[in-house]
Amino acid sequence: MNTQPITFFQPIQPTHHTESLWSVEAITALFQLPFADLMYRAQQVHREHFDPNAVQLSTLLSIKTGGCSEDCGYCPQSAFHNAGVENQKMLDVSAVVEAAKAAQHAGADRFCMGAAWREPSAADMASVVEMVKAVRGLGMETCATLGMLNDQQTEQLRAAGLDYYNHNLDTSPEFYGDIISTRDYQDRLDTLERVRKAGMHVCSGGIVGMGENLTQRAGLVAQLANMNPYPESVPINNLVKVEGTPLAETESLDPFDFVRTIAVARITMPTARVRLSAGRQQMSDAIQALCFLAGANSIFYGEQLLTTGNPMVEQDRALLDKLGMYALADKHV
Ligand code: SAM
Ligand code: DTB
Ligand code: SF4
């Protein structure tokens, strides 16, 4: 079968750095710009590389839920926390294909399969490979997020035709140890390197609103932007505070600081698709619109993220209509 990434929506080439790297200080200075100046810069960069009215829609499906052996402080699926998530073994390939068809019918162009694993086993990989082939056979872009991978596993996924692998750095190296103790930052970087080496597109971003300070928020963006090439897809999640997780009582981030994070990601990673990710259900339409103005050009689409809620499809369609925006897939039907 053809294992080239599906590129009929928008060709994506990894962007290698030609200029000097971003320092944490320079990124902090971007965050500190007057809001209007930051937004203006972000819009200039955005319009140089993208149609500002187009948005890419990814639909998520949790293919294996809960009981994860990692202790990520934000995550309702960790076996270390009691967030009331019902553990579910891996879904059948047929159930995944049905969900992908429904997502495609609703207008999504990418289907992202997520699993609550530290890393997949050989048996897990055999099923995931079948899922990737089947979803790709529908003509959708495929994405998976399965935890850490070794070289053989990245090759298997690439051979199955996986277009994107999502693996988030989540926060800065300095703050990481406050959030997760069961793996370290270098483990994440190593998996991303393997994904890149195998020839798949890299999807990597993080979570803000976990109690990090401005320097640490800038530190996350610096890590992402200084990858050479930087990720083609950058999800920016606003912490979804789930009762039973250690971060449930964290003070909320000021919404304008969330918008600023999107703008800074746009400026430092001009050709990346910056995804306005978890936390949208808790956001007003006005803040979401500011995120689009700041350079976000992708969202998770569908009523469910992995275990938590996301805006209804009709609500998202109404918002895009109101803003005169369109879904990438709609342009190609
Ligand atoms: N287990 C794999 C891993 O951690 O790489 C894949 C699934 S994991 C749930 C995918 C990502 O979801 C995490 O890296 C994190 O960025 C995001 N995430 C999990 N819980 C979240 C929450 N409560 N709020 C925002 N983002 C969250
Ligand atoms: C990403 O950066 N965010 C998505 C996706 N990649 C896998 C996951 C968000 C999860 C939010 C909490 C939940 O629904 O369990
Ligand atoms: Fe497991 Fe991923 Fe949740 Fe961490 S974020 S506990 S690795 S499912």
Side-chain angles (χ1 to χ4, degrees):
M1 79 180 275
N2 174 19
T3 56
Q4 289 304 303
I6 295 179
T7 53
F8 47 86
F9 296 115
Q10 184 147 27
I12 293 184
Q13 293 302 328
T15 303
H16 289 268
H17 290 286
T18 47
E19 293 161 24
S20 56
L21 299 183
W22 284 95
S23 68
V24 175
E25 292 69 28
I27 294 176
T28 304
L30 286 177
F31 271 102
Q32 290 172 327
L33 282 173
F35 191 71
D37 295 343
L38 176 62
M39 294 291 275
Y40 182 61
R41 272 190 68 173
Q43 289 231 335
Q44 282 178 313
V45 173
H46 193 189
R47 283 167 183 268
E48 258 173 52
H49 299 279
F50 291 99
D51 173 352
N53 303 312
V55 64
Q56 184 271 324
L57 307 182
S58 287
T59 294
L60 277 169
L61 178 69
S62 181
I63 61 166
K64 187 272 171 187
T65 307
C68 183
S69 62
E70 301 272 32
D71 70 351
C72 312
Y74 46 77
C75 185
Q77 302 199 69
S78 166
F80 288 80
H81 322 318
N82 291 310
V85 169
E86 204 179 309
N87 296 350
Q88 244 177 28
K89 64 176 177 47
M90 192 165 17
L91 298 179
D92 292 337
V93 176
S94 59
V96 173
V97 173
E98 285 316 303
K101 280 185 187 163
Q104 189 176 36
H105 183 72
D109 56 82
R110 190 177 308 162
F111 193 67
C112 180
M113 294 159 270
W117 291 320
R118 172 179 167 83
E119 69 239 314
S121 68
D124 297 332
M125 284 300 295
S127 301
V128 172
V129 159
E130 291 313 308
M131 292 172 188
V132 170
K133 286 182 180 165
V135 173
R136 207 158 185 278
L138 301 174
M140 293 185 92
E141 288 190 322
T142 51
C143 175
T145 181
L146 316 169
M148 294 184 272
L149 300 177
N150 61 33
D151 282 326
Q152 192 195 348
Q153 292 169 327
T154 51
E155 286 305 328
Q156 273 180 287
L157 291 171
R158 168 68 192 167
L162 188 72
D163 297 293
Y164 287 80
Y165 194 74
N166 167 247
H167 200 63
N168 291 336
L169 290 180
D170 282 336
T171 190
S172 70
E174 294 75 21
F175 192 54
Y176 195 82
D178 289 20
I179 305 294
I180 301 156
S181 76
T182 49
R183 55 164 191 253
D184 59 31
Y185 213 75
Q186 193 57 48
D187 293 328
R188 299 301 268 188
L189 294 170
D190 290 347
T191 291
L192 290 172
E193 188 54 45
R194 291 189 187 105
V195 170
R196 178 61 78 201
K197 202 173 65 183
M200 288 176 285
H201 292 325
V202 171
C203 173
S204 188
I207 311 178
V208 294
M210 296 198 292
E212 74 284 349
N213 62 31
L214 177 57
T215 310
Q216 291 162 339
R217 208 169 301 137
L220 164 68
V221 178
Q223 285 287 329
L224 295 166
N226 289 338
M227 283 183 198
N228 201 3
Y230 56 74
E232 285 81 8
S233 163
V234 179
I236 305 292
N237 297 276
N238 199 5
L239 175 69
V240 179
K241 293 185 243 179
V242 182
E243 214 179 307
T245 61
L247 296 186
E249 305 300 326
T250 311
E251 197 179 328
S252 295
L253 189 70
D254 185 307
F256 290 105
D257 289 334
F258 185 82
V259 178
R260 284 175 183 276
T261 311
I262 298 270
V264 171
R266 167 54 63 223
I267 292 166
T268 55
M269 293 172 275
T271 64
R273 210 162 263 290
V274 175
R275 183 168 308 112
L276 163 55
S277 300
R280 258 185 344 103
Q281 201 177 37
Q282 294 75 18
M283 245 172 241
S284 66
D285 280 1
I287 291 294
Q288 291 189 61
L290 281 179
C291 289
F292 294 132
L293 291 179
N297 58 359
S298 168
I299 55 173
F300 285 121
Y301 177 69
E303 277 100 60
Q304 176 101 344
L305 292 167
L306 292 173
T307 66
T308 66
N310 197 45
M312 306 289 282
V313 159
E314 298 72 27
Q315 203 179 326
D316 278 341
R317 287 289 177 177
L319 177 60
L320 294 183
D321 276 354
K322 228 187 312 192
L323 300 176
M325 296 178 77
Y326 67 91
L328 268 194
D330 291 350
K331 222 176 180 180
H332 299 269
V333 287

